[in-house]
């Protein structure tokens, strides 16, 4: 295409970068492609290994030094100032089963392109770096095959011990260490000064508001449980109803109660979910003695979350009586409303203005690798719009224009970060890069 | 112990037989013994193979000719009248996971002891046989590992094709043929004239009524479904509640609705159950796109069952709207109230009187191998009491006195059967014994 405003007839740098980005993203999206047009790349499966290999090849072809740490995070390093720490940009290439192309992978590739753009600007003396730039594919952000989620960034930020992570098993009993066979290649520890990440929103707030960029200033509060219902085995036919202690009935009442909690608080204020179910003995003629499932409560309002937890306790007591079961609940994760550093939001706001991109502040409901990284270094988190808010689904999508705009925005943020705008001397050493 | 009425001080034959039976039953119950005092012998597992081997050894030691058919049913034959058909007595040695010692195995061992007692009476010229006696351990009555249940007797009665049964897989993808490695040993087809089975009741009717023997005169009516709920994947946190199509929520509403149907008809008239659940993708951060489970309705009143099916249809429609899912249901089994032959019930009634055992008529809610056999030859079905009606549970139990009484009762019934009391020339040839 010719750009009217350019008398030479050459394409603008931005257009060329955008076309290259979309071409690379289309290639990456072929790895683990699912029949429904999404991807299926659970952590350390063949498809995930292929996407990690593709990423290593892309990094090498684009002038990065490739390094892998002990939990399988794949880094690309670009050193401008020897001895200075790195601005790290990244996200994750793994996916949920039958998921969309954008969730994670978009942010990894945008990080690669943004870092390359920063390196070009440094090479052309457009900017003067005070720190270096690196990019990363965090291992197993999704947590569907190996729980917990955000595994790579949790180990890298010291929230999960490496040895514990490597021995976690999938449903088939395969450990992370066996599935990953990590081959750590760092020669010296990686010191990080700042982190930035861009991700598809997974909701419809940006689409509804017309903004192209979401400036994430905080996370929803959440309470996450594992619930175990204990009943007693019985015959599905012969045992009279009054004699039953049916664990699956108790589980079903809990799933329904969790869902209906959302109707008992102000509309839209509470999100709840149960999405897994394990039943024993899972026989067509034996009443379940045991059922186990996850149960999440999330809200942007801590008072609503507290009320939901209180109502849930009442429901548990009611269900124990109704189904004649006992319910054991373990609170596995709990956090309040957490902020991203306001200085990072200010930097991103300024960057969006400079890039001419309409942006608005937003909270993230979902967890991201940045929610780990923000606890160790000043961090910037950005969103691009999701079409209809569809997420964890093959139909997840965003427009080409928004995809390119996000990459441009991340390059603008990264340019500011390598010039030290958000760096005040922090040096976080990733423990996974220290042998 | 001395029997006061016996001046020689010798134990009575009945006492000796009872003690032998209980000793053998204790030995059999050690195979696949579970920590909670029950057994875990799913079909064609190591424990089931061990119990089948033990049974073959017991049969050989007690003078039976052992034969195995093509679906792994293990027979012991005692021929009195060459060319005449066999009275067959039996039940099953396989169990549900973590099940009781009695369910099935009691009936197999009682059949062995009863047939031996019959052979003794023939040898002592106490009775004159017109037909022969055989005993059987039917393969995979429980159906928990390989579905459907009552597999061995279904194949033997022509209700399930042998080739289809052998290719059925368990959850790990292992076929029946692989797990069973049957080694058929019949030299000539087995012709059956009558069948009799004794089983633990699995309910509390006999216990409550004070009867020792249940004379089964019919089966409850039943409708059995496989239900599949189709939703759409979404993020458990980020997706707003109104946008969700949650298959597990739809499944949970159905489990609750099925249970609550029992409160909408006359008390005790309807038994319902859901006891399995499979969810996809079963990820802690992705709303389920799919859920699959069994759903059974059973009643002794066909009008109640019809009403329950009608109410269930209304519930499906309501749940499809509430959870924004589609529900696909397949009626996999359906039967009305079915009778055992009245002549068999009359024979058993007379036998109980002769043995001095308090007996009462009863329906069976659960299916048994006899429910297959009764469709091909005149059949007698008997129960002994269950303590508290506990079934499909390690705590399942019956008293020693009732166990021995049941064996005595079955021997009395078998004695009458080998004398041709219920035989009118029927010769059913088991297809699995024809090569």
């Amino acid at each position: 295409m010719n750009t009217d405003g350019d008398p030479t007839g050459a394409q603008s740098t931005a257009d060329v970068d955008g076309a290259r980005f979309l071409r690379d993203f289309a290639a990456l999206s072929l790895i683990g492609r699912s029949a429904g047009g999404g991807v299926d790349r659970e952590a350390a499966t063949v498809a995930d290994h292929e996407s990690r290999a593709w990423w290593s090849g892309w990094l090498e072809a684009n002038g990065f030094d490739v390094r892998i740490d002990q939990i399988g995070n794949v880094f690309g390093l670009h050193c401008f100032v020897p001895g200075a720490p790195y601005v790290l940009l990244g996200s994750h290439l793994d996916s949920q089963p039958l998921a969309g192309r954008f969730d994670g992978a978009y942010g990894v590739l945008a990080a690669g392109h943004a870092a390359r753009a920063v390196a070009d600007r440094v090479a052309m003396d457009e900017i003067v770096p005070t720190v270096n730039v690196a990019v990363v594919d965090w291992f197993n952000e999704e947590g569907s095959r190996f729980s917990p989620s955000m595994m790579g960034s949790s180990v890298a930020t010291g929230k999960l011990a490496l040895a514990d992570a490597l021995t976690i098993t999938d449903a088939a009993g395969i450990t992370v260490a066996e599935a990953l066979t990590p081959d750590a290649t760092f020669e010296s520890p990686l010191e990080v000064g700042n982190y930035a990440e861009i991700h598809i929103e997974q909701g419809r707030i940006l689409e509804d508001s017309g903004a192209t960029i979401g400036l994430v200033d905080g996370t929803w509060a959440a309470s996450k449980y594992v619930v175990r219902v204990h009943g007693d085995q019985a015959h599905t036919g012969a045992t009279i109803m009054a004699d039953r202690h049916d664990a699956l009935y108790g589980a079903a009442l809990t799933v329904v109660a969790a869902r209906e909690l959302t109707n008992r608080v102000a509309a839209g204020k509470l999100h709840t979910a149960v999405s897994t179910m394990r039943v024993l003995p899972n026989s067509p003629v034996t009443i379940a003695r045991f059922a186990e499932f996850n149960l999440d409560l999330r809200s942007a309002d801590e008072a609503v979350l507290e009320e939901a937890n209180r109502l849930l306790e009442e429901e548990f007591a009611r269900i124990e009586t109704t189904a004649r079961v006992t319910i054991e609940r373990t609170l596995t994760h709990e956090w309040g409303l957490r902020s991203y550093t306001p200085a990072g939001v200010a930097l991103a706001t300024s960057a969006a203005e400079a890039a001419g991109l309409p942006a608005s502040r937003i909270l993230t409901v979902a967890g991201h690798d940045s929610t780990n990284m923000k606890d160790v270094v000043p961090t910037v988190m950005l969103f691009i719009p999701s079409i209809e808010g569809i997420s964890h689904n093959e139909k997840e999508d965003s427009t080409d224009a928004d995809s390119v705009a996000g990459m441009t925005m991340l390059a603008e943020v990264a340019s500011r970060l390598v010039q030290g705008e958000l760096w005040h001397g922090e040096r976080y050493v990733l423990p996974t890069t220290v042998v």
Side-chain angles (χ1 to χ4, degrees), chain A residues 221-225 295-298 305 309 331 333-335:
Chain A
S223 301
K224 295 190 171 196
Y225 296 88
L295 193 162
D296 300 351
L297 308 176
R298 307 188 199 222
L305 189 68
N309 274 293
L331 189 65
H333 296 85
E334 187 174 40
W335 59 82

Side-chain angles (χ1 to χ4, degrees), chain A residues 212-275:
Chain A
T212 302
I213 301 294
L215 310 165
V216 180
D217 56 6
T219 63
W220 275 36
S223 301
K224 295 190 171 196
Y225 296 88
V226 168
V227 181
R228 298 181 181 90
V229 181
H230 300 272
D232 202 8
Q233 285 191 193
H235 196 287
T236 50
T239 307
I240 61 176
M241 301 309 291
D243 279 349
R244 299 187 187 192
H245 304 267
D246 184 338
L248 181 53
Y249 176 46
L253 286 168
T254 309
V255 172
V256 172
R259 172 65 175 236
E260 293 180 352
L261 282 183
T262 64
N263 303 327
R264 297 168 67 184
V265 299
K269 288 287 192 183
L270 178 68
H271 288 187
T272 68
V274 178
S275 61

